[in-house]
Amino acid sequence: MEARRRFPPPSSTSPSSAATLRSPPAAPRSSGDRIQASDALPIPIRHTNLLFSLIFVCSIVFLMRRWRDKVRESIPLHAVDLSEIVSIISVVASLIYLISFFGIAIVQSIVSSHEDEVDDFLPDSKMTPSPAPSPDLAAPVLAGREDEDIIAAVVAGKTPSYALESAIGDCHRAAEIRREAIRRISGRGLDGLPLEGFDYGSILGQCCEMPVGYVQLPVGIAGPLILDGREYYLPMATTEGCLVASTNRGCKAIAESGGAASVVLRDAMTRAPVVRFLTAARAAELKFFLEEPANFDTLSVIFNRSSRFARLQDIQCALVGRNLYMRFSCTTGDAMGMNMVSKGVQNVLDYIQNDFPDMDVISLSGNFCSDKKPAAVNWILGRGKSVVCEAVIKEEVVKKVLKTSVSALVELNTIKNLAGSAIAGALGGFNAHASNIVSAIFIATGQDPAQNVESSHCITMMEAVNDGKDLHISVTMPSIEVGTVGGGTQLASQSACLDLLGVKGACMESPGANARLLAAIVAGSVLAGELSLMSALAAGQLVKSHMKYNRSCKDVSKAASN
């Protein structure tokens, strides 16, 4: 989802006035603009904070010493001179500043609710339309009517299908009525699509709109995967035969060789809005402003106020003509974080608008992020969790479990995964089938399946070690985008799979730890999958295995009729 909002340039800015465009606007803020505590002095915010902190400490020390001397000399404390008056005023003024600057962020972090962190976008402070009632809070108006009457109204277009949940007050009944209305409108039934046995209230307003049933998808278990000294059983939702079995064989080879190890290199979700100015020179001014280290403290405070867990890490800018793309990176706790970072970016854009009123916000997302698309920026800089996972597979395990040799695997990896992908012009696709494992685990654990695109970026490396006897294998995945709270992770089935991995929900002791562990598990699973498939290819077993395990002898048509 992307938002587009335009801000008209102020009347005082003339396109023909190059001098005006090249210099920062000096016009004072209007009375309606929000005044920040950091606006107290026209110097960098870190210097302002240090100055007021020193004033506060020095004033307190002076007053304490002065009052101690008065007590010793039996002088009344209320008899103050000019220096004491100045010190008292300094204490009050500095205290007001420090509370205004630091206290607001603390209070906001306390009162921020989890629901605030999963909203799509921060509402525009300049536009406050009356919010539409939430579907689960609206008073039912059709609850007492017969199903047939409601179906007829939907078919006739008198009752919108999307409003059934709020109009009826029963999510299951709404799905049943919508399903029948679709059958009558389209003339086609949905007999093979199950309706019963699903909690439709659990997806209302967060996962899926206008449901008519659910799709059954088998979940297999591979493992145990020995990763960083712990065992993990991997839930994989897939309809591809041999995938779970192949991953399981890779896990066995890793376990018999002592296990795998992982490192999370970076944790940063991104969002990149695009703004436009009247000239490229003016756009460059904002670029230089954002890249100035002295301004980062201010922007990070503004950004971080949007959530208890969002913490801005850096801002990278790219200028294309008079269009400026700003790639914000931030940590997001245990949430995948797309909505969280979007809210923080919106806060920063609103703040910047005060000093750059001629900035035209084209879109909250300018594709420099880049989300759900293969992009070199994610392959090079990373997005979400950047993970490396490695293992040393013993020679005897390669021969006994994987049915091949170390030299054959190393040669195949070079020719297939490296050279073959290179001549294909692959972008992040220097692997055998990383997306297979990523997709299966994503669906099982309630991740966004579309983010498999960049999450499957992976380069698989193999080399002979220990005098050529053993195999060192590693996978480097720079943009695994996962979360353990929010979205589909809250559904019962997906929550159970997360619980199986030991990463369900948020980590209270160390926010973000569960999401990082899940990313490491995904990388470890890919390592197992790569090891097994490459071995099957090296040994010439791929077709034979699929013919044996991926072809059903069961007469499906007869089974369906029973």
Side-chain angles (χ1 to χ4, degrees):
M1 181 189 238
E2 296 181 355
R4 178 182 174 91
R5 186 159 64 107
R6 298 296 190 93
F7 294 93
S11 58
S12 60
T13 303
S14 172
S16 61
S17 178
T20 302
L21 291 173
R22 292 191 181 96
S23 60
R29 293 184 176 92
S30 63
S31 59
D33 290 338
R34 181 176 55 190
I35 303 300
Q36 304 288 340
S38 56
D39 298 331
L41 293 175
I43 59 177
I45 190 170
R46 54 183 178 181
H47 297 159
T48 305
N49 293 343
L50 180 60
L51 177 60
F52 277 97
S53 299
L54 288 175
I55 292 175
F56 178 78
V57 172
C58 292
S59 299
I60 287 291
V61 171
F62 173 80
L63 288 174
M64 295 301 294
R65 289 182 175 179
R66 193 61 177 265
W67 291 341
R68 181 189 61 184
D69 293 340
K70 284 186 175 183
V71 171
R72 289 177 177 177
E73 299 173 5
S74 299
I75 300 175
L77 294 178
H78 62 270
V80 296
D81 55 18
L82 180 59
S83 60
E84 290 176 290
I85 294 176
V86 172
S87 297
I88 293 173
I89 294 175
S90 299
V91 168
V92 174
S94 57
L95 186 61
I96 291 174
Y97 171 84
L98 294 173
I99 291 177
S100 299
F101 187 82
F102 295 104
I104 291 176
I106 295 173
V107 172
Q108 286 184 346
S109 69
I110 295 174
V111 302
S112 295
S113 64
H114 173 69
E115 288 76 10
D116 291 337
E117 294 165 11
V118 296
D119 288 341
D120 274 334
F121 297 104
L122 187 69
D124 190 346
S125 60
K126 299 177 182 178
M127 300 174 62
T128 55
S130 300
S134 176
D136 53 343
L137 297 179
V141 295
L142 299 177
R145 294 180 60 179
E146 296 292 332
D147 287 359
E148 187 60 36
D149 295 339
I150 302 176
I151 293 171
V154 173
V155 173
K158 297 179 180 179
T159 299
S161 177
Y162 62 81
L164 287 177
E165 279 79 7
S166 59
I168 297 174
D170 185 332
C171 292
H172 184 278
R173 185 185 173 197
E176 191 173 19
I177 290 173
R178 181 181 295 111
R179 182 188 180 106
E180 177 59 22
I182 290 295
R183 187 192 67 79
R184 297 187 186 182
I185 293 172
S186 66
R188 298 180 182 275
L190 295 170
D191 297 336
L193 186 69
L195 176 69
E196 304 297 332
F198 188 82
D199 180 11
Y200 294 96
S202 65
I203 64 173
L204 183 63
Q206 67 173 350
C207 289
C208 181
E209 298 75 39
M210 297 184 285
V212 294
Y214 60 96
V215 173
Q216 294 170 310
L217 199 62
V219 176
I221 298 294
L225 170 68
I226 309 299
L227 180 65
D228 299 323
R230 295 175 59 184
E231 290 187 353
Y232 299 96
Y233 288 89
L234 313 173
M236 302 176 67
T238 181
T239 56
E240 179 181 350
C242 290
L243 180 60
V244 178
S246 178
T247 306
N248 189 68
R249 183 173 75 147
C251 290
K252 180 181 179 181
I254 293 172
E256 292 188 7
S257 299
S262 67
V263 179
V264 178
L265 303 174
R266 191 167 186 257
D267 181 4
M269 181 49 64
T270 64
R271 173 60 86 193
V274 55
V275 300
R276 183 169 60 194
F277 289 88
L278 294 176
T279 67
R282 184 68 170 141
E285 287 184 16
L286 178 55
K287 180 180 185 296
F288 298 146
F289 173 84
L290 294 173
E291 293 175 346
E292 176 62 42
N295 295 325
F296 184 80
D297 291 342
T298 303
L299 297 177
S300 62
V301 169
I302 300 301
F303 185 99
N304 296 346
R305 285 177 179 173
S306 65
S307 167
R308 289 175 291 171
F309 303 107
R311 294 295 177 266
L312 185 64
Q313 292 184 329
D314 73 346
I315 306 172
Q316 294 176 319
C317 298
L319 190 63
V320 181
R322 58 195 184 103
N323 301 312
L324 181 64
Y325 297 80
M326 302 168 282
R327 193 173 191 259
F328 290 77
S329 301
C330 80
T331 56
T332 56
D334 285 299
M336 182 270 289
M338 280 297 301
N339 296 320
M340 196 182 297
V341 67
S342 295
K343 289 174 61 178
V345 168
Q346 186 66 65
N347 279 1
V348 173
L349 290 177
D350 291 340
Y351 178 81
I352 294 174
Q353 194 80 54
N354 293 326
D355 292 326
F356 291 84
D358 52 330
M359 180 178 71
D360 185 9
V361 180
I362 301 300
S363 175
L364 190 63
S365 173
N367 276 13
F368 186 40
C369 312
S370 172
D371 185 40
K372 301 174 184 176
K373 292 167 282 291
V377 68
N378 293 336
W379 177 238
I380 298 171
L381 300 180
R383 187 172 195 255
K385 279 70 176 171
S386 300
V387 185
V388 177
C389 189
E390 63 180 347
V392 175
I393 310 301
K394 298 177 181 178
E395 182 183 28
E396 57 268 27
V397 175
V398 173
K399 293 179 179 179
K400 177 183 175 183
V401 178
L402 302 178
K403 313 298 184 184
T404 185
S405 65
V406 172
S407 59
L409 282 172
V410 172
E411 181 183 37
L412 176 62
N413 187 70
T414 301
I415 296 174
K416 170 184 165 60
N417 286 345
L418 303 183
S421 297
I423 65 170
L427 179 60
F430 297 88
N431 57 81
H433 70 150
S435 63
N436 246 342
I437 290 87
V438 172
S439 295
I441 296 180
F442 267 33
I443 295 172
T445 58
Q447 310 305 312
D448 189 337
Q451 289 185 323
N452 164 71
V453 175
E454 61 266 42
S455 295
S456 296
H457 282 183
C458 170
I459 182 168
T460 301
M461 299 293 291
M462 294 185 186
E463 57 183 308
V465 294
N466 300 330
D467 296 326
K469 295 181 179 180
D470 301 331
L471 175 73
H472 181 277
I473 177 174
S474 68
V475 293
T476 303
M477 306 180 70
S479 51
I480 302 178
E481 299 167 353
V482 293
T484 58
V485 297
T489 65
Q490 302 176 74
L491 302 181
S493 300
Q494 289 80 349
S495 180
C497 290
L498 288 170
D499 195 30
L500 175 66
L501 293 171
V503 295
K504 177 182 176 181
C507 179
M508 296 295 102
E509 296 78 16
S510 177
N514 281 351
R516 289 189 291 272
L517 178 54
L518 178 57
I521 293 172
V522 170
S525 306
V526 170
L527 184 75
E530 291 286 282
L531 182 61
S532 183
L533 177 57
M534 292 294 287
S535 298
L537 289 169
Q541 299 172 340
L542 182 65
V543 175
K544 180 180 178 181
S545 298
H546 276 268
M547 290 300 101
K548 181 178 180 180
Y549 298 108
N550 200 16
R551 288 294 183 271
S552 175
C553 299
K554 183 178 180 180
D555 190 335
V556 180
S557 60
K558 291 182 179 180
S561 62
N562 292 337

